[in-house]
Amino acid sequence: MAKRFFCSPRQSTNIKFREASYDLLSDFLTNLDNRNKENLSSLSKCSGDFKEKKLMEFTFLITKELSLDPLVGYHAIELLQRFMVKHLTDLFTTPIPQGAAAEEPRSYDDAVFDKLKEKFPLIVFSCVQLASKLSLHSHMINNNAAVRFLHSIGHSVSKQTVMESELMVLKGLGFRLNATNPLMYVEILLEVLGHNDPSVPVEHLYHLCHHVLQFISLRRTAIYDSLLMITTQCLSPPREQREKFVTVTEDCMLLGVGVIAVATFILYVRKWEQVVRELSHITGISRRSISDLAHVTLMHIVGTSCPLTST
């Protein structure tokens, strides 16, 4: 059985895009697929709660301002999601301090959230800082740079505070930083697609895929709401269907093929069906599912409301 990897060839080695061997790519894709299935089988009620637009914009801003690899930003978002779910669970399962129980029922909860609100920008930054330390293609953010950046956005903190926040997040994650992220899936799938079908100009698709993934990430709620309406053929899907749909919104493999399909449609529409067919072959995801996600994304790109029809 192949060794389990939780980062892409570009993250874990100095191999550049299109330089990895097919055997290496096949191992990585298999392991990513297994990890995706494991994640989907153990989703919590809070899955995706920390991937809303403003939060992702803030994370992308940090990576851009500090000239970090885009993978760092997506990795940081996954670390943040995991940490916050664990952190909030711990906070609300810890016995209420003496005196707080005598207050109004929501007073303690409000106090917890108020305190967390103050720390939250630093927690996000700590996730980016940790993610940067795992990337061979980005410089690590030292504490001096961290203090300068945080000060520039209105958060005056000391180096000690930065270190304490980073350690808090690290401990909260159980020192396990090997989260997968959507960009890893896009890059691996592009590589495999290029090996399987050399006629597909994946080098040209590469940069557009980055933009498409960011677009979907920042408009995640609207795009997946449209996809849910198409899937259910219902303008107002019931709560039960929305809750079950989390296995779609958190499916990184589906997101990866959807991103590539959208980029292909924009740049090489004549190869659209060919690429969708090959992506379906590679992943086992139906062509209908790939086309549906690509369809609603393209509708949002052009600013058109998504009708209850499917491609």
Side-chain angles (χ1 to χ4, degrees):
M1 182 177 178
K3 181 181 178 182
R4 294 183 64 85
F5 291 93
F6 299 113
C7 50
S8 69
R10 192 163 72 81
Q11 267 189 312
S12 59
T13 70
N14 284 315
I15 296 175
K16 297 180 180 179
F17 185 66
R18 296 309 308 277
E19 290 184 357
S21 69
Y22 181 78
D23 288 342
L24 180 62
L25 290 173
S26 181
D27 283 345
F28 272 88
L29 183 61
T30 298
N31 288 318
L32 282 177
D33 184 44
N34 290 338
R35 187 63 183 272
N36 188 52
K37 289 175 180 175
E38 289 172 6
N39 289 340
L40 293 177
S41 66
S42 58
L43 294 172
S44 74
K45 293 181 179 180
C46 300
S47 294
D49 284 0
F50 296 93
K51 296 180 182 178
E52 59 95 22
K53 182 179 179 180
K54 289 185 178 180
L55 184 51
M56 298 193 80
E57 283 180 337
F58 181 50
T59 306
F60 293 149
L61 171 65
I62 296 174
T63 58
K64 182 178 180 180
E65 289 297 314
L66 295 176
S67 302
L68 301 173
D69 189 290
L71 272 169
V72 172
Y74 289 101
H75 194 170
I77 289 165
E78 298 303 320
L79 294 181
L80 179 67
Q81 172 71 34
R82 279 174 42 194
F83 171 76
M84 289 305 300
V85 170
K86 173 70 165 55
H87 190 55
L88 287 173
T89 300
D90 290 345
L91 285 175
F92 289 111
T93 54
T94 301
I96 297 176
Q98 288 185 350
E103 299 175 6
E104 289 295 322
R106 286 187 53 81
S107 295
Y108 177 67
D109 291 359
D110 290 343
V112 169
F113 279 116
D114 286 343
K115 187 175 181 179
L116 188 59
K117 187 187 298 184
E118 295 175 8
K119 295 182 177 180
F120 195 62
L122 184 54
I123 291 174
V124 176
F125 187 88
S126 294
C127 290
V128 176
Q129 193 171 17
L130 287 169
S132 75
K133 294 180 178 180
L134 298 181
S135 174
L136 295 179
H137 296 269
S138 285
H139 59 276
M140 290 189 294
I141 308 171
N142 62 42
N143 291 328
N144 289 325
V147 169
R148 285 196 302 271
F149 176 80
L150 289 166
H151 179 74
S152 72
I153 60 172
H155 298 281
S156 296
V157 295
S158 66
K159 287 193 288 185
Q160 181 66 28
T161 301
V162 170
M163 288 188 289
E164 289 173 354
S165 176
E166 186 179 16
L167 183 59
M168 178 185 70
V169 173
L170 190 58
K171 287 181 177 179
L173 291 169
F175 296 89
R176 292 179 292 107
L177 305 179
N178 56 357
T180 58
N181 68 72
L183 185 53
M184 290 168 57
Y185 285 81
V186 172
E187 292 191 347
I188 294 295
L189 287 166
L190 270 177
E191 294 248 27
V192 175
L193 177 63
H195 275 279
N196 287 7
D197 189 346
S199 72
V200 179
V202 292
E203 292 88 349
H204 295 162
L205 292 173
Y206 179 82
H207 292 293
L208 181 57
C209 281
H210 278 241
H211 292 295
V212 172
L213 177 58
Q214 187 175 89
F215 179 88
I216 295 176
S217 298
L218 294 177
R219 291 162 178 77
R220 167 188 170 90
T221 300
I223 288 174
Y224 281 110
D225 279 351
S226 297
L227 183 60
L228 177 58
M229 286 190 288
I230 279 183
T231 303
T232 61
Q233 290 292 297
C234 178
L235 286 172
S236 299
R239 180 178 177 180
E240 182 181 353
Q241 286 182 320
R242 289 184 177 278
E243 290 177 348
K244 290 181 178 179
F245 202 66
V246 70
T247 58
V248 175
T249 62
E250 295 301 308
D251 190 338
C252 284
M253 193 67 78
L254 173 62
L255 177 56
V257 293
V259 166
I260 297 171
V262 170
T264 302
F265 188 89
I266 293 172
L267 286 183
Y268 306 103
V269 67
R270 291 184 180 179
K271 288 187 175 291
W272 156 264
E273 292 186 3
Q274 172 187 338
V275 167
V276 170
R277 184 166 53 248
E278 185 57 36
L279 289 172
S280 177
H281 173 72
I282 292 169
T283 63
I285 297 173
S286 70
R287 282 181 279 176
R288 175 67 174 270
S289 295
I290 298 172
S291 297
D292 281 350
L293 178 54
H295 170 71
V296 297
T297 301
L298 288 163
M299 291 297 98
H300 282 274
I301 288 175
V302 299
T304 307
S305 59
C306 196
L308 289 180
T309 57
S310 179
T311 54

